[in-house]
């Protein structure tokens, strides 16, 4: 701690900060541009000038840049100094000299940091009479719009994109006042974190293209605290709604999970919520192949109850992308003995093992933010950037943090970004990646070992053995691998805080056991390590804590005639298991009820579709990969602007349906009751009740406002339907109001913040007002509650067990590689993500390619897939061949989402496309 | 002082005179010209800046002036304006729909003041009575006129730095030609 | 025809007269509501109500229709019986006062010896109407208005009576016909100027007209004692006020301006002309004077008007004694 004196008042601040950060943390306003809490100071914009005095007797002082001055003890500064103020006003004035006169047609307008700072410094007239510099724009892909005229050359974009996120295709070009920020040639930005440029850029150079396509100003959006459903990290988001559509996703600050940044899948993958083909009213197909008829709520429920009552046995298939509440209502309706999680068996086994390891491996699971403080990392059989992108960014920071350590040794503060970067050069904390395909993190890794799944597990066990000789040795390991294992073990042992990252992407229990063994070995060597296990979907962890049979079991029950009705909850079964198997099982059922917010293949084959709420219209609880239960809240009431819609949360549908099946009148159901029912029924989930405040939560007697105070058009947006305005929807489930009336301030600490705004701070920089210290934690505490805690106790190493390593000579085995864009079912339905999906590629080892008679760049067609004893024939799409030097032979790497239902390790028959098709 | 207290009733004299004079003056007003305009028999003169029915104007080139910036909507104290931004192929913004609920409008003129492009203007027309309130909801078709309204010359895109069809970067007011980033010449 | 006696005929004639006069008063009172608005309009450079019928002549009918069809609502918190009683009392007491006014030598409802005293007594009863109305409404504004009204009326009635004593002394009678007769040569307004002025003031105050309408001051009391009244009950208070205006104007004419007397024109015309003038004066006062503060009204009554009337009475008495008439 340090004591500083600002404008004659004395404050206690964190001495490791710079003055700007310290003052902002105190709630004092100093304008700034180039500084960012996550990226430190470079002193480029000269905006944060304050007057600093040597001591008590110094009454002259000098102007200093507060971002470049340490908050040392007994520092004396004046923010409200006349010359400093004039200086800051001049800086804004000259930044505005070339600023185009286009705020009205700028997507940044209304949440623009430059606007805020201009107002804060008081500049309002352009005195400069000469011409403005202009610059051309570039096409930067479906995510980011580019308008270079607005640039104020703060360099934040390249500092984030290149230095922080490791992108390589954005740069600063030119010299002196002729600076250009863009790509060397037009084209989509490659980094999966490019979306953060929209929040990092203090003005409108980089704006959200997906938002621009249906643009609404920040003040006109209705928000609720959301949780991203696109992967298992559980990033906190602020979805903004207008006219019944989600218009944009903004980062919602969470001190432990996502802090300032999101990945592009989460930010731009919301489009599926707005799809025109979404089911919005219950639908009934009397006989397969017939046209579906729409039904009202009551007739639909009556018909479904009637049909389900005739069934001998109803199977309920849950979903790892649905909330805990919905899954529990389904489980309660069909009974635990008839409930399936909807997860394929190998994945479910992996999930169960990950939960077990998280409790018993001996190493705790760090939060994403804590990951950044680890100093040696082993990524075993996982590609974090593709499968849980936000974690990839955290891992990158962990690797880069070596620089800060080096800087500390010579007394350079960590926030002095350029100095730290120059000092560090390419000295990183060791990162070992064991993964067959190239990853985004390769550039900062010591090495990437491209191995087949079983070999990954072998290497893992070998590392464990090298760390702790008590761990079982691996038989028959080649000397090269032995050596690698030794290297990895040494670097992990040298570290103070080693981290093991693994996950279920390859659906291999052996890899997870190996990662567990490494973790166990590390824990025995008394290092302060961590173990991160990556799950695939938003609620995979939660559903595995709830438990249930596998999807394979559920399909068997159906296809073998032990059950004749099935209720599928927000799950497209065709994404999980081969189509013929799903089709066959569903065809045997007499009644198929599907609740979903998407028109999936499963939904299309159903007798009944009930329109379920997506994250935008519904509330519920998810558990992320660190075991943190987090609640997401409904953003808007769809029936307000589209009165014909009958979208309800699945838990509400299922509760009513269950009552109907019992022949009772539906009792009360609310989010609170649904959450409590779930928590009460599953001891592992008992904590979820406390994940967020209940509907009675009030601040100063007020509900929390979903809309900013300036929300416009209330009396006109619905007037085309009826000039008589109905009462705004009332929300009895949550503490939020569908109104601007309610608490939306920052001075009362709270966890649930639909949107960040503070007087004078309209941009995302307003989050600084909600945190205990800038870049720290929310003053009300970071939301969510951790459910999985390490259990004390000594545990034995498992004996290495490997999948059958036997290569099927009849063809190559599929290695499904996770991918950010297109690898997840719902976001793949969003238009900008579809555009951003890479062309289908099959990665082959050179010998395999030669055997098939193809070379890099040629096309192949998938002719058939054999998995166990099921054989599927494709006339599939052409796939480009990518030969890779170190690719494990016998395997064919295919991107996830390309062939839905394709399981890891399935045998593929590949062939050249028939010539006639060209 | 004691003497003055008795005399103090003398204030009644000027006061009474004042009252009587007031009454006389008010009485004489009965013979003045009337201020009332007997609308509708007599026509009402409305000054050009009268705040009546709201219109959307076009720029001197005949294009829609409104760029859907939403400032009118946010300035509106009764929240009776709602619109949606759309974008033409050349990057020009326009309102996909623009709705004013005149049953809520109070004709305060804040929207006109907020408008950065002179698109939304109030006109000297107040004769908007309807028997159906629904008819008071005006859409863009009802609002958009074929002229520049009160502001004859202003052309937002000629001032703003954004490029649109027919006006490239560097062709707006006070603009240099776009920089060539590939040169190092001063 | 044995039942047809002159006595019966006289009674019937008197009843007919009474009916005509009282009806006429009510009609005039009602018409005044429109006339007042028209005059106020004139003096404010407007037209006033001119939309219903030619030149707005049917406005009165429109207003009547409106007030008849308004919901006659009694608040649940009001004291029912008293609440009903008050407007009737207010209306009746003022209307009844009119019986003492001699319109022409031949017309008049009652020829009473105690004429003036009867008026003063009924003016006293009118206070009860206001007080009861204000109290029965169960509304704090109504109660405040009623308290103001009673305090004001009581104060002003003190010197209202005294201001008339000069006239009574000079005429030697309380009977109004005698008083009119006594003004054959000289209207009492000249010898009794002070009396006239103070009676005018008191008359305005007693009828709660501007500028002495503190009991119903809209800004402070939201209409005072009749704030809870609606429909015809309010109408009775409302018309009652105008009847009061007509009554006071008629009294002024009778007591100070020689009643029906005047050359050339028939007496009824003179009476109507003179009364109309004072009605106009009432409205002109409203158009031109602001409402003074309530305490000023009270202090003006007690400290200016009362001494003036006393001085007037003493002087009149002295002159009468000296001249020995």
């Amino acid at each position: 701690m340090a004591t500083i004196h600002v404008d004659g008042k004395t404050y206690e601040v964190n001495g490791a900060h710079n003055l700007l950060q310290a003052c902002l943390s105190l709630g004092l306003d100093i304008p700034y541009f180039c500084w960012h809490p996550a990226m430190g100071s470079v002193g480029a914009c000269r905006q944060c000038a304050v007057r600093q005095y040597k001591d008590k007797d110094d009454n002259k002082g000098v102007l200093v840049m507060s971002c470049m001055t340490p908050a040392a003890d007994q520092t004396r500064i004046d923010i409200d100094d006349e010359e400093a103020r004039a200086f800051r006003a001049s800086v804004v004035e000259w930044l505005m000299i070339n600023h185009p006169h286009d705020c009205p047609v700028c997507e940044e307008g209304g949440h623009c940091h430059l606007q805020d700072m201009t107002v804060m410094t008081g500049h309002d007239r352009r005195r400069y009479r000469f011409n403005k510099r202009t610059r051309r724009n570039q096409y930067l892909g479906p995510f980011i719009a580019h308008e270079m005229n607005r640039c104020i050359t703060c360099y934040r974009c390249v500092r984030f994109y290149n230095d922080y996120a490791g992108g390589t295709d954005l740069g600063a070009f030119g010299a002196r006042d002729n600076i250009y920020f863009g790509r060397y040639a037009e084209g989509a930005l490659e980094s999966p974190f490019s979306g953060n440029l929209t929040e990092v850029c203090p003005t409108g150079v980089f704006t959200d293209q997906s938002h621009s396509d249906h643009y609404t100003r920040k003040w006109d959006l209705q928000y609720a605290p959301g949780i991203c459903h696109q992967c298992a990290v559980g990033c906190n988001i602020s979805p903004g709604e207008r006219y019944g559509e989600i218009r944009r996703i903004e980062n919602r600050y969470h001190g432990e999970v996502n802090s300032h940044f999101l990945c592009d899948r989460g930010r731009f993958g919301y489009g599926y919520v707005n799809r025109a083909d979404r089911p919005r009213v219950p639908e009934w197909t009397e006989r397969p192949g017939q046209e579906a008829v729409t039904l009202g709520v009551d007739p639909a429920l009556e018909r479904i109850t009637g049909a389900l009552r005739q069934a001998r046995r109803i199977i309920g298939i849950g979903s790892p992308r649905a909330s805990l509440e919905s899954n529990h209502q389904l489980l309660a309706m069909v009974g635990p003995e008839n409930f399936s999680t909807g997860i394929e068996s190998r994945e479910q086994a992996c999930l169960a093992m990950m939960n077990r390891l998280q409790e018993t491996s001996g190493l705790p699971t760090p939060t994403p933010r804590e990951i950044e403080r680890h100093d040696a990392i082993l990524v075993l059989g996982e590609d974090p950037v593709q499968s849980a992108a936000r974690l990839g960014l955290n891992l990158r920071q962990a690797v880069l943090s070596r620089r800060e350590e080096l800087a500390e040794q010579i007394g350079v503060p960590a926030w002095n970004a350029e100095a730290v970067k120059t000092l560090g050069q390419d000295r990183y904390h060791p990162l070992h990646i064991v993964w067959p395909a190239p990853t985004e993190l390769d550039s900062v890794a010591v090495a990437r070992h491209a191995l087949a799944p079983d070999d990954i597990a072998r290497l893992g066990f070998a590392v464990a053995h090298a760390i702790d000789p008590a761990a079982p040795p691996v038989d028959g390991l080649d000397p090269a691998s032995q050596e690698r294992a030794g290297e990895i073990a040494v670097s992990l042992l040298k570290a103070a805080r080693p981290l093991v990252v693994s996950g279920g992407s390859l659906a291999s229990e052996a890899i997870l056991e190996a990662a567990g063994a490494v973790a166990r070995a590390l824990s025995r060597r008394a290092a302060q390590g961590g173990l991160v296990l990556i799950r695939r979907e938003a609620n995979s962890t939660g559903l595995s804590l709830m438990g249930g049979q596998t999807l394979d079991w559920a399909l068997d029950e159906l296809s073998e005639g032990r059950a004749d009705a099935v209720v599928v909850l927000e799950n497209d079964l065709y994404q999980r298991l081969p189509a013929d198997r799903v089709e066959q099982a569903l065809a045997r059922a007499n009644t198929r009820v599907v609740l979903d917010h998407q028109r999936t293949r499963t939904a299309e084959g159903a007798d009944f579709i009930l329109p379920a709420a997506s994250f935008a219209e519904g509330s519920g609880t998810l558990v992320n990969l660190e075991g943190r239960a987090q609640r997401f809240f409904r953003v808007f009431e769809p029936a307000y602007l589209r009165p014909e819609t009958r979208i309800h949360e699945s838990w509400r549908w299922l509760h009513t349906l269950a009552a109907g099946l019992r022949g009772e009148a539906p009792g009360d159901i609310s989010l609170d009751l649904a959450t409590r029912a779930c928590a009460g029924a599953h001891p592992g989930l008992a904590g979820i009740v406390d994940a967020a405040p209940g509907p009675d939560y009030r601040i100063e007697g007020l509900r929390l406002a979903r809309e900013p105070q300036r929300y416009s058009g209330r009396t006109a947006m619905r007037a085309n339907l009826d000039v008589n305005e109905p009462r705004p929807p009332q929300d009895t489930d949550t503490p939020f109001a569908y109104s601007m009336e309610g608490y939306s301030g920052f001075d009362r600490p709270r966890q649930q913040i639909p949107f960040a705004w503070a007087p004078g701070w309209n941009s995302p920089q307003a989050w600084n007002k909600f945190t205990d210290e800038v870049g720290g934690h929310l003053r009300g505490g970071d939301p969510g509650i951790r459910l999985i805690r390490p259990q004390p106790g000594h545990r034995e190493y498992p004996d290495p067990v490997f999948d059958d390593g036997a290569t099927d000579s009849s063809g190559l085995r599929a290695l499904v590689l996770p991918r950010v864009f297109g690898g997840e079912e719902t976001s793949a339905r969003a238009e900008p993500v579809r555009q951003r999906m890479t062309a289908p590629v099959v990665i082959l080892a050179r010998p395999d390619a030669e055997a098939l008679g193809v070379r890099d760049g040629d096309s192949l067609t998938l002719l058939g897939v054999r998995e166990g004893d099921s054989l599927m024939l494709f006339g599939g799409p052409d796939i480009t061949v990518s030969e890779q030097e170190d690719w494990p032979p016998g395997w064919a790497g295919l991107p996830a989402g390309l062939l839905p239902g394709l399981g890891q390790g399935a045998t593929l028959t590949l062939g050249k496309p028939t010539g006639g098709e060209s | 002082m004691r003497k003055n207290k008795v005399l103090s009733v003398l204030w009644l004299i000027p006061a009474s005179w004042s009252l009587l004079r007031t009454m006389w003056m008010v009485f004489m007003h009965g013979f003045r010209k009337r201020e009332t305009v007997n609308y509708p028999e007599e026509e009402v003169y409305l000054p050009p800046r009268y705040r009546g029915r709201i219109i959307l104007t076009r720029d001197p080139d005949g294009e829609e002036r409104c760029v859907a910036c939403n400032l009118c909507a946010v300035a509106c104290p009764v929240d009776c304006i709602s619109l949606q931004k759309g974008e033409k192929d050349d990057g020009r913004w326009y309102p996909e729909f623009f709705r004013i609920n005149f049953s809520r409008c109070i004709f305060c003129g804040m929207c006109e003041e907020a408008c950065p492009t002179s698109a939304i203007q109030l006109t000297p027309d107040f004769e908007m009575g309807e028997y159906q309130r629904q008819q008071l909801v005006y859409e863009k078709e009802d609002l958009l006129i074929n002229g520049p309204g009160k502001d004859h010359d202003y052309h937002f895109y000629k001032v703003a730095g954004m490029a649109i069809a027919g006006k490239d970067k560097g062709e707006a007011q006070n603009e240099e030609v776009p920089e060539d980033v590939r040169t190092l010449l001063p | 025809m044995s039942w047809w006696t002159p006595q019966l005929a006289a009674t019937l004639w008197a009843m007919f007269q009474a009916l005509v006069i009282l009806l006429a008063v009510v009609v005039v009172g009602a018409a005044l509501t429109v006339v007042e608005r028209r005059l106020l309009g004139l003096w404010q450079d407007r037209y006033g109500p001119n939309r219903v019928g030619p030149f707005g002549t049917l406005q009165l009918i429109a207003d009547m229709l409106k007030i008849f069809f308004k919901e006659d609502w009694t608040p649940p918190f009001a004291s029912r019986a008293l609440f009903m009683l008050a407007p009737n009392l207010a209306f009746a007491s003022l209307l009844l006062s009119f019986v003492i006014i001699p319109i022409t030598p031949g017309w008049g409802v009652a020829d009473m010896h105690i004429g003036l005293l009867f008026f003063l007594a009924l003016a006293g009863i009118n206070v009860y109407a206001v007080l009861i109305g204000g109290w029965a409404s169960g509304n704090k504004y109504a109660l405040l208005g009623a308290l103001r009204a009673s305090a004001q009326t009581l104060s002003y009635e003190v010197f209202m009576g005294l201001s008339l004593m000069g006239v009574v002394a000079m005429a030697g009678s309380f009977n109004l016909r005698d008083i009119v007769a006594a003004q054959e040569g000289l209207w009492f307004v000249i010898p009794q100027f002070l009396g006239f002025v103070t009676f005018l003031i008191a008359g305005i105050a007693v009828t709660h007209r501007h500028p002495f309408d503190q009991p119903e001051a809209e800004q402070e009391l939201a209409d005072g004692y009749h704030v809870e009244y609606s429909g015809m009950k309010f109408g009775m208070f409302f018309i009652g006020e105008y009847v009061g205006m007509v009554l006071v104007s008629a009294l002024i004419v009778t007591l100070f301006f020689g009643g029906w007397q005047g050359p050339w024109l028939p007496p009824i015309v003179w009476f109507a002309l003179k009364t109309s003038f004072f009605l106009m004066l009432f409205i002109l006062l409203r158009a031109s004077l602001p409402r003074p503060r309530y305490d000023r009204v009270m202090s003006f009554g007690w400290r200016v008007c009362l001494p003036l009337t006393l001085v007037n009475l003493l002087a009149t008495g002295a002159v009468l004694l000296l001249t020995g008439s």
Side-chain angles (χ1 to χ4, degrees), chain B residues 11-12 19 22-23 26-27 29-30 32-36 38-42, chain C residues 41-47 50-51 280-281 284-285 287-289 300 304 308:
Chain B
W11 66 263
L12 273 173
L19 288 185
T22 307
M23 287 165 68
V26 170
F27 180 78
H29 266 269
R32 296 239 187 135
K33 190 177 163 293
R34 308 290 88 182
E35 293 288 345
T36 313
N38 273 318
Y39 177 85
E41 292 89 33
E42 293 173 34
Chain C
L42 274 181
W43 288 322
Q44 290 165 359
D45 296 350
R46 301 184 282 117
Y47 291 106
N50 65 350
R51 291 277 132 174
M280 186 208 73
L281 192 71
L284 180 58
L285 277 170
S288 46
L289 298 186
F300 179 72
V304 178
L308 276 179

Side-chain angles (χ1 to χ4, degrees), chain C residues 66 73 186 191 196 198 204 215 244 254 274 286 291 316 321:
Chain C
K66 187 190 95 171
W73 188 68
L186 182 66
F196 160 65
T198 45
I204 298 168
T254 311
K274 291 179 190 174
R286 172 173 183 183
R291 179 190 300 135
T316 312
L321 278 179

Side-chain angles (χ1 to χ4, degrees), chain B residues 125-140:
Chain B
D125 174 19
F126 59 84
E127 292 168 316
M128 303 174 67
E130 296 281 357
Y131 288 101
Q132 295 286 323
R133 268 182 71 204
Q134 190 65 45
Q135 306 282 321
L136 287 168
V137 178
Y138 282 39
E139 298 286 342
K140 193 166 99 176

Side-chain angles (χ1 to χ4, degrees), chain C residues 163-216:
Chain C
S163 67
L164 296 180
M165 287 311 116
V167 174
V168 172
M170 285 183 72
S173 168
F174 281 109
N175 184 311
L176 291 183
R177 288 194 180 275
D178 294 348
I179 293 173
V180 172
Q183 298 180 64
E184 193 86 38
L186 182 66
W187 290 355
F188 280 159
V189 68
I190 296 178
Q192 286 295 320
F193 186 71
L194 276 183
F196 160 65
V197 171
T198 45
F199 180 75
L200 179 66
I201 292 171
I204 298 168
V206 167
T207 50
H208 314 133
R209 287 287 306 176
H210 285 259
F212 296 120
D213 65 337
Q214 279 72 17
E216 40 194 276

Side-chain angles (χ1 to χ4, degrees), chain A residues 571-877:
Chain A
N571 202 341
D572 184 9
L573 310 181
Y574 294 92
Q575 299 279 342
R576 298 176 189 276
L577 282 174
D580 56 342
R581 186 156 177 216
V582 176
E583 199 138 288
Q584 185 202 336
L586 291 180
R588 288 290 306 269
N590 294 328
T591 310
R592 295 160 289 255
V593 182
V594 172
L595 298 97
D596 209 337
H597 45 82
Q598 297 300 313
R599 198 170 290 279
T600 61
R601 193 169 162 191
T602 312
E604 275 170 348
D607 304 308
F608 296 95
I609 305 179
L610 290 176
S614 68
F615 74 91
E617 304 99 4
S619 311
T621 311
L622 302 178
V623 183
N624 78 349
L625 52 75
E626 37 159 353
R628 181 187 297 270
Q630 300 187 102
R631 192 109 68 242
F632 60 95
F633 294 99
R634 56 197 323 209
V635 183
F636 67 105
E637 164 60 72
Y640 183 64
L641 283 155
R642 291 186 187 143
E644 70 282 3
T645 46
R646 297 286 179 272
I647 293 176
H648 296 289
E649 286 114 330
S650 298
W651 46 261
R652 218 181 280 276
W653 282 120
L654 290 167
H655 176 84
T656 319
L657 207 53
L661 281 181
R662 291 194 305 269
E664 296 167 7
D668 282 346
I669 185 71
S670 67
L671 176 64
D672 214 31
L673 290 173
T675 311
R676 278 172 201 284
C678 179
H682 309 283
L685 298 171
I688 63 169
V689 174
D690 303 320
D696 301 329
Y697 180 74
R698 297 287 183 276
I699 290 180
E700 295 187 325
L702 295 171
R703 282 174 171 268
L704 305 180
R706 275 193 173 87
E707 297 165 3
Q709 284 168 6
R710 285 270 168 252
Y711 193 81
S712 79
R714 276 176 313 150
T715 63
M717 57 198 290
R718 214 182 166 282
N720 57 329
L721 300 180
D722 186 3
V723 74
N724 301 297
E725 288 147 24
R727 190 182 187 206
Q730 303 297 302
D731 194 345
T732 50
D733 283 332
T734 76
F736 303 96
Y738 294 107
S739 163
M740 70 271 274
E741 288 170 20
Y743 187 76
S744 58
F746 64 92
D747 47 351
R748 301 280 181 283
R750 54 178 168 140
Q751 292 189 337
Q752 300 298 336
I753 304 166
F755 59 92
W757 179 85
W761 296 85
N762 299 295
S763 71
Q765 319 285 329
W767 282 108
N768 292 346
K769 295 278 181 191
F770 291 85
T771 46
D772 53 358
E773 60 177 45
V774 173
H777 300 270
L778 291 181
R779 271 186 288 137
D782 290 318
I785 192 149
R786 296 284 290 268
L787 298 178
I788 307 178
R789 303 201 169 279
Q791 304 291 324
H794 180 79
R795 283 178 181 83
E796 291 302 318
Y797 289 103
D799 280 327
V801 180
F802 305 111
D803 298 343
D804 59 306
T807 344
D808 194 330
S809 55
S810 64
L812 296 165
R813 298 187 70 201
L815 194 62
V816 181
L817 301 168
R819 59 170 173 166
V820 179
F821 304 117
E824 189 264 343
E825 146 189 15
T826 49
S827 66
R829 298 173 147 257
E831 193 44 44
V833 171
R834 293 170 76 93
Q835 290 178 30
R836 190 65 177 71
M837 282 184 207
T838 42
V841 165
V842 55
I843 308 178
L844 296 175
R846 181 150 295 151
D848 294 331
E850 274 163 12
L852 283 164
V854 288
R855 305 181 64 180
D856 201 58
D858 287 354
S859 289
L860 273 181
T861 302
L862 185 63
L863 298 173
V865 175
R866 192 151 54 79
E867 203 169 352
D869 32 279
S870 84
L871 177 71
M872 257 197 299
L873 291 178
F874 281 87

Side-chain angles (χ1 to χ4, degrees), chain A residues 210-238:
Chain A
S210 76
H211 182 213
S212 181
D213 294 339
H214 46 200
Y215 182 69
T216 304
R217 298 255 176 237
K218 177 177 178 175
W219 63 64
D220 276 346
L221 292 169
Q222 178 163 264
Y223 305 87
I227 303 296
C228 182
H229 279 49
Q230 266 60 65
C231 79
V233 178
C235 292
N236 287 211
I237 53 171
S238 263

